[in-house]
Amino acid sequence: MLKGDGHLSHDLDPLDQGPKDACGVFGVWAPGEDVSKLTYYGLYALQHRGQESAGIAVSEGTRILVYKDMGLVAQVFDESVLGTLRGHLAIGHCRYSTTGSSVWENAQPTLNSTDVGGLALAHNGNLINTGELAVRLAPGATRATTDTEVLTALLAQDGSRPIEDAAAELLPQVRGAYSLVFMNETTLFAARDPQGVRPLVLGRLERGWVVASETAALDIVGAVFTREIEPGELLTIDERGVRSRRFALAEPKGCLFEYVYLARPDTSIAGRGVQATRVEVGRQLAREHPVDADLVIPTPESGTPAAIGYAEQSGIPYGQGLVKNSYVGRTFIQPSQTIRQLGIRLKLNPLREIVQGKRLVVVDDSIVRGNTQRAIVKMLREAGATEVHVRISSPPVSWPCFYGIDFATRAELIAGSLTVDEICDSLGADSLGYISLEGLTQATTIPANRLCRACFDGDYPIPVDQDQVGKYVLEVKV
Ligand code: SF4
């Protein structure tokens, strides 16, 4: 998110994937269980949150082993690697880089040594006072190029006290978004920033405990959801059970974009399924932006629940007009020039017999730069659609995110400079309608003052010192 470079896409770039989340985190404390495999499957369920690198740290009580590499979870780990990662507790991470570059050194979990052993840490979110924090590091303590490495080094350098105490003192001074899982040789810790921007949940196994970014990751390892970790809460998990400590007052500002796009549809946030919220958003979208049409189709997969809701509310039939190749990922071979010109067809292809001669409503979750939607409109017209009406289940994304989502700089965001009518023209659509911020907020059932909505309204709940952010980027990235 901070880099603002390298993501300007080719107009029809099949690898332009829209907004990307920072990361997924997972932790397990469960003697007698195969914790590395549980972590593997937990990360597998969280793969959508980060696809550049994956890693697992494990301990059997005396030392921490970390294995991490670039690539998808299933590319990084196999049976033989997992077989070497034995222990009773583990943490895991899948990453999309929002600070620091996409290189092996920046993969997580990070590992630092302390006076009494090791400390491994995995982070979802983005800190906004990293430069200020980095000044406190002892010279040569770390080659930190990410906010996460600075945080790990600071926790590790205070070796005179239990990690739990060091964390409780350090975390109130850390600003930004952080859902953390960390561990020493014997104990699992989890913490969430006072605003609770990114999700983090606790689950129960028969013989232990699990912490994960989303409830869907609990389901996949057979853990029963216990509760969300509170904003400003630090958990310590060992043979004495789960202990909770509050290091800051909770000022909840959960990320609204989790509901729109980031979280899995089978995840629950604040007791409500994300799928149900997205369907309701679609219904509201139909109420706010009705249109005469023959068929409602989603941009798969993320537009699907809102398209279902739009169809239900409007009475217009729902259908699949676009087929997605789910296997187009960031780690794939760059297409040759000829294939690149086919662009988005690598990722999405229209079903000609479904869309031909139809007035279509195309429902998508968000518009960032507009390249994908422009290509979809063109492709559907070429396939014979007579009208293409675009409906978006989030308000215009007009502001960058400083809390861990890689949208783009404001200049790259199409809604940063164009009006809705101008965007409609730019996409070549017959009409364009975005859900209102109020409509989206209502569908979540969470009060507006408990949500971060900054990418839609520019009101940043954790004040961002842009100079400070820019300065640190320069220091670490040149
Ligand atoms: S700015 Fe947007 S994406 Fe970032 S945390 Fe806030 S709501 Fe979420």
Side-chain angles (χ1 to χ4, degrees):
M1 179 274 305
L2 293 177
K3 47 197 174 186
D5 59 13
H7 289 285
L8 276 171
S9 55
H10 185 282
D11 235 22
L12 296 175
D13 190 343
L15 304 181
D16 179 15
Q17 295 186 318
K20 298 160 195 89
D21 197 7
C23 305
V25 296
F26 187 89
V28 53
W29 187 94
E33 296 280 357
D34 189 340
V35 291
S36 61
K37 277 208 176 142
L38 289 176
T39 307
Y40 172 85
Y41 283 113
L43 293 181
Y44 198 74
L46 298 171
Q47 184 74 84
H48 61 290
R49 299 184 73 88
Q51 291 141 36
E52 283 186 1
S53 64
I56 294 176
V58 65
S59 169
E60 33 46 299
T62 59
R63 80 191 162 131
I64 299 174
L65 285 177
V66 178
Y67 189 92
K68 56 187 178 180
D69 209 344
M70 306 305 290
L72 301 170
V73 177
Q75 292 169 321
V76 171
F77 295 99
D78 59 23
E79 285 278 355
S80 64
V81 170
L82 291 171
T84 63
L85 299 173
R86 304 230 152 263
H88 71 279
L89 81 156
I91 62 172
H93 190 265
C94 51
R95 177 170 197 260
Y96 176 77
S97 57
T98 52
T99 68
S101 44
S102 178
V103 292
W104 185 90
E105 288 75 11
N106 289 342
Q108 295 185 32
T110 50
L111 177 65
N112 275 57
S113 52
T114 71
D115 290 349
V116 289
L119 173 75
L121 182 143
H123 170 207
N124 174 206
N126 197 59
L127 306 186
I128 58 171
N129 67 333
T130 313
E132 205 176 285
L133 295 170
V135 170
R136 304 186 197 182
L137 287 171
T142 176
R143 289 173 42 252
T145 67
T146 69
D147 51 352
T148 310
E149 284 175 313
V150 170
L151 191 58
T152 317
L154 279 172
L155 274 175
Q157 87 178 1
D158 195 349
S160 57
R161 289 182 302 162
I163 288 175
E164 189 181 342
D165 293 342
E169 188 179 306
L170 175 66
L171 293 177
Q173 299 159 50
V174 175
R175 287 197 296 122
Y178 53 90
S179 282
L180 305 174
V181 290
F182 50 109
M183 62 185 272
N184 61 12
E185 286 75 6
T186 58
T187 308
L188 174 67
F189 304 91
R192 202 168 168 209
D193 62 78
Q195 287 73 27
V197 175
R198 301 272 147 247
L200 195 63
V201 294
L202 175 69
R204 184 86 166 104
L205 286 169
E206 212 169 291
R207 293 192 280 187
W209 297 93
V210 172
V211 174
S213 293
E214 295 188 28
T215 60
L218 302 183
D219 299 339
I220 205 172
V221 299
V224 177
F225 172 75
T226 304
R227 65 177 176 88
E228 297 197 356
I229 294 169
E230 295 288 318
E233 185 181 20
L234 168 67
L235 292 186
T236 303
I237 303 172
D238 59 16
E239 69 283 349
R240 288 184 284 156
V242 178
R243 295 186 296 287
S244 166
R245 184 162 166 175
R246 184 159 287 290
F247 64 85
L249 277 180
E251 304 165 42
K253 297 285 179 190
C255 168
L256 183 54
F257 215 73
E258 292 278 349
Y259 297 87
V260 172
Y261 173 85
L262 302 173
R264 280 172 58 135
D266 52 343
T267 276
S268 290
I269 305 178
R272 181 171 157 89
V274 169
Q275 171 83 3
T277 302
R278 290 180 185 161
V279 172
E280 178 52 33
V281 170
R283 289 195 198 101
Q284 180 61 20
L285 187 56
R287 287 189 280 266
E288 293 184 12
H289 296 286
V291 65
D292 268 343
D294 305 311
L295 190 67
V296 179
I297 66 167
T299 299
E301 308 295 335
S302 51
T304 302
I308 291 170
Y310 193 100
E312 276 177 17
Q313 181 68 34
S314 64
I316 303 169
Y318 169 87
Q320 291 287 346
L322 291 161
V323 172
K324 181 181 182 183
N325 182 341
S326 312
Y327 301 97
V328 177
R330 297 185 59 82
T331 51
F332 275 60
I333 294 162
Q334 286 289 323
S336 70
Q337 194 54 35
T338 326
I339 293 181
R340 186 173 278 268
Q341 277 159 8
L342 294 174
I344 197 160
R345 280 175 199 268
L346 275 184
K347 193 162 74 168
L348 289 172
N349 206 19
L351 286 163
R352 186 173 291 272
E353 60 278 21
I354 303 286
V355 304
Q356 200 162 30
K358 302 261 176 45
R359 297 170 299 165
L360 299 176
V361 178
V362 185
V363 182
D364 207 343
D365 59 88
S366 56
I367 300 181
V368 178
R369 297 174 183 83
N371 299 326
T372 302
Q373 290 75 17
R374 190 176 302 115
I376 287 172
V377 171
K378 182 164 178 273
M379 202 161 59
L380 290 169
R381 288 201 196 282
E382 284 168 3
T386 54
E387 293 175 21
V388 182
H389 301 274
V390 177
R391 295 293 178 270
I392 304 295
S393 63
S394 63
V397 176
S398 309
W399 301 89
C401 174
F402 291 97
Y403 313 133
I405 307 303
D406 178 15
F407 281 130
T409 62
R410 185 155 158 77
E412 291 165 357
L413 291 167
I414 193 165
S417 55
L418 300 186
T419 65
V420 173
D421 284 347
E422 288 168 339
I423 296 169
C424 183
D425 285 348
S426 155
L427 302 184
D430 291 284
S431 72
L432 170 64
Y434 289 91
I435 194 168
S436 64
L437 187 52
E438 292 65 34
L440 172 61
T441 304
Q442 265 172 23
T444 67
T445 70
I446 306 289
N449 64 3
R450 292 172 73 92
L451 289 168
C452 173
R453 314 191 298 176
C455 50
F456 306 118
D457 65 7
D459 183 4
Y460 291 94
I462 312 169
V464 180
D465 178 349
Q466 305 246 7
D467 288 348
Q468 178 69 38
V469 171
K471 182 163 165 279
Y472 189 66
V473 170
L474 279 180
E475 278 171 7
V476 299
K477 296 209 65 210
V478 173

